[in-house]
Amino acid sequence: NIVMQNVGRLKNLVEDLLDLSALESGKELRLERVDVRELTESVTKQVHVFSHPVHVSYGFQEMTADPKRLEQVLRNLLENAVRYVPEGRSIYIQWNLLADGRLELRVKDEGPGIAPEHQARLFERFYRVDESRSRAVGGTGIGLSLVKHIVQRHGGQVRVQSELGRGSD
C-alpha cells in the first residue's frame, strides 16, 4: 500500500511538472466558449466537497477560455479549499462580471487563513505554508503555480487575500 501511494504521488508530480513546463513553454491554448455553470457543476462533482457547504453565484454565463485549463484552475482552487477548510465550514465560488468588463473567478473559504508572510510566495511551485502538514493533506505543491500560469496565459492575474482565522479569498 505504501509503495502504491508513493508511486501515485510521484506520477501526479511528474504529470504536474510536465503540465507546468508546457504552459511555461508557450503551448497554445484551445480557446472556445465555456459555460461556467456546466464547468462548475462538473468540477464540484469531481472534488469531494460533501463535508462543506458550497455556495455558487454567477454574474455571467459564458466566457472564452481553454475549457480544460479553466477546469484545472477551478479544480485546484476548490481542492485546496476542501483540503484546508475544517468540515462544515463554507466555500464560495463566484463568477463575477466586473464594472470594467473583466471577468473574475473567486474561490473564498472560511478556513484558517494564511499569514501575510506566506501570501506573496503562495503561487510559487513547491511552496507550502505548513511543511509539517504537506504529506498529511496530499497534493504535489504545484497546483497553485499551475493556477497562476493558466490564468496569466489567459491574460489575467491571480491574487490572494487572507487573514488568519478569517479564511482566504
Side-chain angles (χ1 to χ4, degrees):
N1 253 354
I2 292 170
V3 170
M4 289 308 293
Q5 285 177 338
N6 286 326
V7 167
R9 186 176 290 129
L10 186 57
K11 177 183 170 280
N12 290 340
L13 178 60
V14 169
E15 287 173 354
D16 282 354
L17 283 170
L18 289 171
D19 211 11
L20 189 57
S21 177
L23 284 165
E24 289 177 337
S25 69
K27 182 179 178 187
E28 288 298 314
L29 299 174
R30 293 189 170 169
L31 299 179
E32 57 187 76
R33 300 298 292 165
V34 178
D35 184 309
V36 295
R37 185 179 303 268
E38 286 178 15
L39 181 123
T40 303
E41 289 171 1
S42 172
V43 170
T44 55
K45 288 176 185 172
Q46 294 171 33
V47 179
H48 301 288
V49 296
F50 36 77
S51 60
H52 302 283
V54 177
H55 310 277
V56 184
S57 62
Y58 301 96
F60 61 93
Q61 186 65 35
E62 288 187 335
M63 66 183 291
T64 300
D66 183 318
K68 290 180 114 175
R69 295 299 188 181
L70 188 58
E71 179 180 315
Q72 194 174 13
V73 165
L74 181 55
R75 188 177 51 251
N76 282 339
L77 293 173
L78 190 56
E79 284 174 348
N80 271 8
V82 168
R83 189 176 288 138
Y84 293 103
V85 173
E87 286 187 22
R89 294 216 184 143
S90 292
I91 298 170
Y92 303 86
I93 300 170
Q94 301 171 332
W95 295 93
N96 300 318
L97 174 59
L98 303 178
D100 61 5
R102 291 181 300 142
L103 305 177
E104 174 184 66
L105 165 61
R106 294 180 83 149
V107 177
K108 298 169 58 169
D109 65 55
E110 295 177 345
I114 302 164
E117 63 267 20
H118 296 291
Q119 292 178 27
R121 299 192 58 204
L122 198 61
F123 295 96
E124 293 177 13
R125 68 181 75 176
F126 302 118
Y127 186 78
R128 292 186 188 263
V129 171
D130 184 357
E131 278 295 328
S132 66
R133 291 185 50 181
S134 64
R135 281 206 186 262
V137 298
T140 62
I142 299 180
L144 290 179
S145 184
L146 281 168
V147 165
K148 178 183 86 172
H149 282 83
I150 293 168
V151 169
Q152 288 176 339
R153 288 294 313 279
H154 281 85
Q157 58 185 345
V158 66
R159 61 180 161 65
V160 64
Q161 294 176 295
S162 186
E163 188 177 330
L164 286 176
R166 304 197 79 193
S168 299
D169 180 7

